[in-house]
Amino acid sequence: MSTIEIIFWIIAIGIVYTYLGYGVVLYLLVRIKRLFTKRIIPELSDEELPHMTLLVAAYNEYDYVDEKMQNTLALNYPADKLHLMWVTDGSDDGTPDLLRERYPQVEVLHQPERRGKIAAMNRAVKQVKTPVIVFSDANTVIGA
């Protein structure tokens, strides 16, 4: 084998390892680790769970409000520790009105002027009084 062929095969093996080998090695290492470790899921009582705010940013999400609220209300979290807040800057499709009418437990922060998602979220964060905030979009389903 010539020096050029050796260099070629070293580079070829490096490329294959980069695209396939690394993933396979990582997968195998994770599987081996799972064989030797026991997964511990902590069980917390309702008293130990922190108060939290689920902050949903929405812009003209009228069609997703009911689905998102059903998903949110089905979460396995104490209702007295879960604060629901929606921020809707510039929505003109009736999203804030729908939330206020059908879901009185939701705090709705609406501003007619649209300044963007980040500005809306920054404005809403200032209103949050809980130590934990979970951010979500209106069309995102959260697993229980």
Side-chain angles (χ1 to χ4, degrees):
M1 243 186 176
S2 71
T3 306
I4 297 288
E5 288 176 327
I6 294 172
I7 293 173
F8 169 78
W9 285 111
I10 290 172
I11 292 172
I13 291 170
I15 291 171
V16 169
Y17 175 76
T18 301
Y19 284 100
L20 297 174
Y22 178 75
V24 171
V25 169
L26 190 60
Y27 174 78
L28 291 174
L29 288 174
V30 168
R31 298 294 289 185
I32 291 168
K33 179 185 173 207
R34 286 183 183 167
L35 290 174
F36 296 107
T37 59
K38 183 178 178 185
R39 188 171 178 200
I40 299 172
I41 301 173
E43 291 290 327
L44 298 175
S45 67
D46 287 356
E47 293 81 32
E48 295 174 305
L49 292 171
H51 287 268
M52 65 172 264
T53 298
L54 178 64
L55 178 57
V56 180
Y59 171 72
N60 287 346
E61 300 285 359
Y62 186 91
D63 295 335
Y64 296 100
V65 168
D66 288 324
E67 181 182 358
K68 179 63 176 181
M69 285 304 301
Q70 295 309 315
N71 173 247
T72 301
L73 296 173
L75 292 175
N76 185 16
Y77 207 82
D80 62 323
K81 294 197 173 199
L82 180 62
H83 182 72
L84 305 176
M85 182 183 289
W86 284 59
V87 59
T88 62
D89 281 12
S91 287
D92 56 7
D93 68 342
T95 299
D97 298 328
L98 176 66
L99 284 162
R100 287 185 185 115
E101 290 170 12
R102 291 190 189 168
Y103 306 101
Q105 71 271 39
V106 174
E107 182 177 354
V108 180
L109 303 175
H110 177 67
Q111 174 175 294
E113 178 186 349
R114 183 157 190 227
R115 299 178 116 186
K117 181 178 181 179
I118 299 301
M121 290 170 38
N122 286 335
R123 183 170 58 88
V125 165
K126 294 176 185 173
Q127 305 297 319
V128 173
K129 296 175 179 70
T130 61
V132 178
I133 305 172
V134 176
F135 294 92
S136 180
D137 285 331
N139 57 2
T140 301
V141 175
I142 299 174

